Amino acid sequence: MELFDTHVHLDLDPFDPDRPAVLDRARAAGVTQMVLPGVTRDRWADMDALARREPGLYVARGLHPVFLEQHADADLEALDAALDADPRAVAVGETGLDGFVPGLDFDTQWRFYTAQLAIAHNHDLPVILHCRRAVDAILKGLRQYPGVTAILHSFSGSEQQARQAVDLGCVLGFGGPVTFDRARRLQRIVRDLPEEALVLETDAPDQPLAGHRGERNEPAMVAGVNAAVARLRNTDPVSTAILTTRNARRVFRLDTVRTNERH
């Protein structure tokens, strides 16, 4: 059984003490492919180095809305240039909008978000989207760039918003939150999603699964997410793993000629 973690921040400091062991545990759990989303320009080089060392790791380049104060217009130019210079990146992101963290100027977030949508469109790449309390605005931006495929990472919107996103061609990512008993709305969305619209993630080191609150999350735990999704959809974990891995590879275009150029 091969699993794909579409969203793991393996390059971040919490993994510095034992990153090789984290990767060993992930692979032992069947997690053979992972995408590392970029959050700030200064993280891109470390992500690249890690992906070059380790098989099955892919990078996305992006500017995360929560780190808005660390971004400058020059970073958008650098993103565009980096994608021109190195075709190995499989997506633009993590970008998006955040309506939860206080003090983040929406207009500035919107400018960086739509600029990254334009870059993704120009480079024919999918986008990985952070979206907290901003689903309608996120979808508004996507409508301005038809043809851009998006993963709505850690989807937490309503059932109606999920349907609207799927109608736009979005894929929804689910991780630890779906494993909690109280997450009834999220579980209904997972149960009813079309097969082609579902991928798995951890968002490690954040968003641990039920029974692991307060612990560092890690990519091996995507196996637990897979098991929870299989139960919700009344199928078996192997079928769910096959489905979600196939979806992830399709979104990131890992089965095309460009794969060899990227990794």
Side-chain angles (χ1 to χ4, degrees):
M1 184 169 68
E2 292 192 7
L3 293 160
F4 198 129
D5 187 346
T6 61
H7 200 108
V8 52
H9 297 283
L10 199 58
D11 58 300
L12 296 186
D13 295 348
F15 292 113
D16 285 351
D18 62 344
R19 191 170 286 108
V22 169
L23 282 164
D24 286 345
R25 286 192 291 271
R27 288 160 181 157
V31 188
T32 59
Q33 298 164 88
M34 310 170 214
V35 169
L36 283 54
V39 294
T40 58
R41 179 181 175 182
D42 63 1
R43 300 299 312 178
W44 298 344
D46 287 344
M47 291 165 45
D48 286 345
L50 179 57
R52 285 190 177 98
R53 290 196 308 269
E54 298 288 347
L57 301 190
Y58 303 93
V59 299
R61 300 184 194 277
L63 304 168
H64 194 297
V66 169
F67 301 96
L68 199 61
E69 291 186 355
Q70 299 183 39
H71 306 329
D73 288 346
D75 297 335
L76 292 168
E77 297 171 7
L79 173 60
D80 195 33
L83 293 171
D84 273 333
D86 184 356
R88 292 179 312 112
V90 297
V92 171
E94 178 176 358
T95 181
L97 300 168
D98 194 295
F100 177 74
V101 175
L104 295 175
D105 180 72
F106 180 83
D107 290 340
T108 307
Q109 287 191 67
W110 179 260
R111 184 165 60 83
F112 275 90
Y113 167 50
T114 54
Q116 289 176 86
L117 289 179
I119 290 170
H121 183 270
N122 292 340
H123 288 272
D124 191 26
L125 286 171
V127 289
I128 299 173
L129 298 181
H130 172 96
C131 182
R132 270 196 305 192
R133 298 185 182 176
V135 177
D136 289 340
I138 283 285
L139 297 181
K140 177 182 176 181
L142 285 172
R143 290 187 185 101
Q144 297 178 13
Y145 293 90
V148 173
T149 303
I151 291 182
L152 270 60
H153 138 68
S154 189
F155 184 79
S156 59
S158 69
E159 292 163 89
Q160 181 182 16
Q161 288 170 328
R163 287 191 294 271
Q164 291 172 349
V166 171
D167 287 344
L168 274 176
C170 297
V171 175
L172 310 186
F174 297 93
V178 80
T179 67
F180 286 83
D181 289 341
R182 66 177 183 273
R184 300 297 174 83
R185 181 182 68 187
L186 203 58
Q187 291 169 352
R188 286 195 300 271
I189 292 171
V190 168
R191 182 195 66 201
D192 296 336
L193 267 186
E195 285 190 348
E196 68 274 8
L198 176 66
V199 293
L200 307 179
E201 62 170 69
T202 59
D203 197 26
D206 298 324
Q207 300 201 59
L209 281 63
H212 297 273
R213 293 193 69 165
E215 299 177 15
R216 181 191 69 179
N217 199 8
E218 58 179 69
M221 300 303 288
V222 83
V225 178
N226 182 69
V229 168
R231 287 193 297 270
L232 289 168
R233 294 177 67 88
N234 195 29
T235 186
D236 63 277
V238 172
S239 297
T240 302
I242 292 170
L243 168 68
T244 54
T245 296
R246 183 176 67 229
N247 288 345
R249 291 188 65 83
R250 184 191 74 244
V251 172
F252 294 121
R253 303 173 191 173
L254 295 177
D255 295 320
T256 67
V257 174
R258 294 184 66 184
T259 303
N260 293 329
E261 298 173 1
R262 289 177 180 163
H263 200 72

